Amino acid sequence: MRRRTDTSAPSTNLTVFDGRQFRTPAAWKAAFAEFLAARAAWSQEHDGAQLPPREVNGGCPFDWSRFRKSVPD
């Protein structure tokens, strides 16, 4: 494992959100909100420095519960 030499540079945890591991929309949204909060906290701690644009790997999973079965039983 390599250590970052420039401690002022943001970690990749603040630039890339990996949402592929979350299987439900609720879990994905909660993790994404936490990711955004961590980005905001980092920016505030660094005198408002702007982070690079965020990247999202794996979109929010499809929420099947929003749809009703349309075929009669």
Side-chain angles (χ1 to χ4, degrees):
M1 182 166 126
R2 286 189 341 205
R3 293 186 185 266
R4 292 184 301 134
T5 55
D6 182 5
T7 58
S8 66
S11 86
T12 57
N13 292 347
L14 295 175
T15 57
V16 179
F17 174 73
D18 187 7
R20 294 174 289 193
Q21 61 187 328
F22 303 103
R23 300 289 180 227
T24 66
W28 190 94
K29 289 175 185 174
F32 189 65
E34 189 175 315
F35 169 75
L36 293 177
R39 285 177 59 93
W42 185 92
S43 181
Q44 188 174 26
E45 288 173 6
H46 291 86
D47 297 324
Q50 294 296 313
L51 287 165
R54 67 179 183 254
E55 294 179 35
V56 178
N57 293 334
C60 185
F62 188 75
D63 184 5
W64 291 97
S65 66
R66 294 184 306 149
F67 300 94
R68 291 184 294 159
K69 190 174 180 182
S70 60
V71 178
D73 289 333

